[in-house]
Amino acid sequence: MPCIEIQNMTYRYADRVALDAVSFAVEFGQSCGLLGPNGSGKSTLFRILSTLVRPQTGEARIAGADVRTQPDAVRRKIGVVFQSPSLDKRLTVAENLRCQGRIYGLSGAELNRRIDELLNRFELRDRAAEMAGKLSGGQQRRVELAKGLLHKPQVLLLDEPSTGLDPAARITLRQQLQRLRDDDNITTLLTTHILDEADHCDRLVILDKGRVIENGTPSELKSRISGDCVLVSAVNLEALAARIEQRLGLKPQRINDELRIETPRGHELIAKLIDAFGDEIRSITLAKPTLEDVFIDRTGRRLDAEAA
C-alpha cells in the first residue's frame, strides 16, 4: 500500500477546473515534490490532503486513511507546514511548541520531552525563550517544522516551504528534510516552483492547468529530453526561426525572448548556427536538460509563467 495514494482527483471552482483527474502515488519514506507554476493546482491538492478542503470527485488516502471519510484519522497521521507563517509572534519558541502539543493532546513529561528533542534537533535550544517574532525567516521555518513534527506524524506536508528564505536557509531546510526521511522514515510531500528544491526530491509530480503532465524521479524526467538544449537570442527571432527550419530542418520553440532547440549533439549545432547565421545571433547557450526544460517541452512555456 502506498503512503499517499490519489486516484482521479477532480476539483472545480465554479467554471474553473483546478484539478483534472489527478492520479499518483508516493511510497513510504519517499520525498515527493509537486512542481508547477501558479494556477497549476498545487495549492488545491495540498488543501485537500491536509483536510482543509473536502474532495469533490476522486479518492485520496494517507497511510491507509481516507481523506473524505476519515479526516480525523488523516490529521493524526500528518504534520503540516503552511506557506503562510502560523507562529504566534507574541509567544516564545517554547510556548508556540507547547500550544501545538496541547492541541494534539500532549501534556506533562511527554510534551516536555518532545519539545526538548525538537529544540535540539533543529538547533533552537538557545532560542527557546525568545519571542518568535524576533527570529529570522530561516529560524521561524525551523520552528514551523518542529510544530509539525511534535505528534510524530508519518507524513509531513509542506506548502512552498522555501518561500522567503535566503539561499543558505534553503540549503539548511533541504538538509533537515533529508534527515527526516533518512533517520525517521517520514514521508514528505511538498509543493514548490523552485527547481533546485524539486531536483532533490525522490519523486516529482509536475502539474499544469490541473493535470499531471509528468511523474517520475528527477533524473528519469530529464532523461526524456533528447540530448542537449540550445538557446539562441537574436535580433529577429521569427525570421531566424524560419531560416533555421528551412536550412537545417529543425523547428525551434520560441520561449519568451529566445529560441530553444533540442538536439543530440549541441556543440555541433552551435557551430552550424554560427556559421550560417552568425550576423543575426546575439548569444547562444548550451546546457544539459533541466526540470524546466521538461516543463517547457510539455507545455511550450517556462515554469515561471502562470497557468491560464
Side-chain angles (χ1 to χ4, degrees):
M1 180 182 65
C3 182
I4 301 172
E5 186 175 16
I6 297 169
Q7 295 180 341
N8 296 317
M9 183 64 65
T10 298
Y11 196 92
R12 292 178 173 84
Y13 296 100
D15 295 332
R16 183 174 72 85
V17 179
L19 297 174
D20 189 356
V22 169
S23 297
F24 66 90
V26 183
E27 300 302 321
F28 281 90
Q30 278 191 329
S31 62
C32 177
L34 300 179
L35 178 66
N38 293 334
S40 62
K42 304 190 307 293
S43 294
T44 298
L45 185 54
F46 182 90
R47 295 176 70 192
I48 289 173
L49 293 176
S50 56
T51 72
L52 294 176
V53 171
R54 183 178 173 83
Q56 292 175 344
T57 304
E59 298 181 353
R61 293 182 178 83
I62 295 181
D66 189 284
V67 171
R68 185 196 307 275
T69 61
Q70 301 170 290
D72 289 341
V74 170
R75 291 172 193 138
R76 287 191 290 269
K77 295 174 183 289
I78 63 173
V80 183
V81 178
F82 296 101
Q83 180 179 354
S84 299
S86 66
L87 300 180
D88 189 326
K89 295 183 178 181
R90 295 167 297 179
L91 297 180
T92 67
V93 170
E95 287 169 343
N96 270 279
L97 295 179
R98 191 167 301 280
C99 288
Q100 179 77 2
R102 286 174 176 167
I103 289 173
Y104 280 90
L106 301 175
S107 61
E110 180 186 10
L111 177 56
N112 291 334
R113 182 172 58 253
R114 190 65 183 145
I115 289 174
D116 286 341
E117 289 174 0
L118 292 167
L119 288 174
N120 290 330
R121 176 164 207 160
F122 292 104
E123 299 177 359
L124 293 166
R125 168 64 59 192
D126 60 339
R127 304 286 182 175
E130 191 167 333
M131 293 294 178
K134 295 183 178 181
L135 302 179
S136 69
Q139 290 166 343
Q140 289 187 17
R141 187 61 76 188
R142 279 148 51 193
V143 180
E144 299 268 11
L145 281 173
K147 282 182 59 180
L149 294 167
L150 261 173
H151 59 295
K152 296 185 177 181
Q154 293 176 267
V155 177
L156 185 62
L157 305 176
L158 306 104
D159 190 14
E160 303 281 357
S162 293
T163 297
L165 300 185
D166 60 45
R170 285 180 181 175
I171 292 173
T172 299
L173 174 63
R174 184 177 72 229
Q175 292 170 341
Q176 289 165 339
L177 294 178
Q178 288 172 339
R179 284 198 293 270
L180 288 173
R181 177 196 62 191
D182 297 340
D183 298 343
D184 300 275
N185 200 39
I186 290 178
T187 305
T188 59
L189 184 142
L190 60 89
T191 70
T192 186
H193 61 275
I194 299 172
L195 295 172
D196 182 64
E197 187 170 53
D199 225 342
H200 287 85
C201 293
D202 296 326
R203 175 165 293 276
L204 283 177
V205 177
I206 302 181
L207 294 169
D208 184 50
K209 299 179 182 177
R211 296 182 179 181
V212 175
I213 59 172
E214 282 292 356
N215 181 5
T217 68
S219 49
E220 284 174 350
L221 300 185
K222 287 182 281 189
S223 70
R224 294 172 192 172
I225 302 295
S226 57
D228 302 320
C229 292
V230 176
L231 298 176
V232 182
S233 173
V235 176
N236 190 325
L237 292 177
E238 288 80 6
L240 180 59
R243 294 184 64 195
I244 289 173
E245 184 173 5
Q246 181 181 29
R247 183 160 177 175
L248 301 180
L250 301 172
K251 190 168 184 179
Q253 281 181 294
R254 177 165 182 175
I255 306 296
N256 296 342
D257 295 326
E258 294 177 311
L259 298 178
R260 176 180 176 275
I261 307 170
E262 292 180 21
T263 180
R265 301 177 66 82
H267 63 287
E268 294 180 359
L269 175 61
I270 287 177
K272 293 178 181 178
L273 291 171
I274 293 295
D275 183 58
F277 314 110
D279 293 340
E280 303 173 55
I281 293 174
R282 288 177 173 172
S283 66
I284 293 184
T285 303
L286 172 67
K288 294 297 180 183
T290 66
L291 291 173
E292 182 161 45
D293 289 314
V294 175
F295 187 82
I296 291 171
D297 184 70
R298 301 300 182 266
T299 67
R301 67 183 194 282
R302 290 190 181 278
L303 188 62
D304 57 9
E306 288 196 13

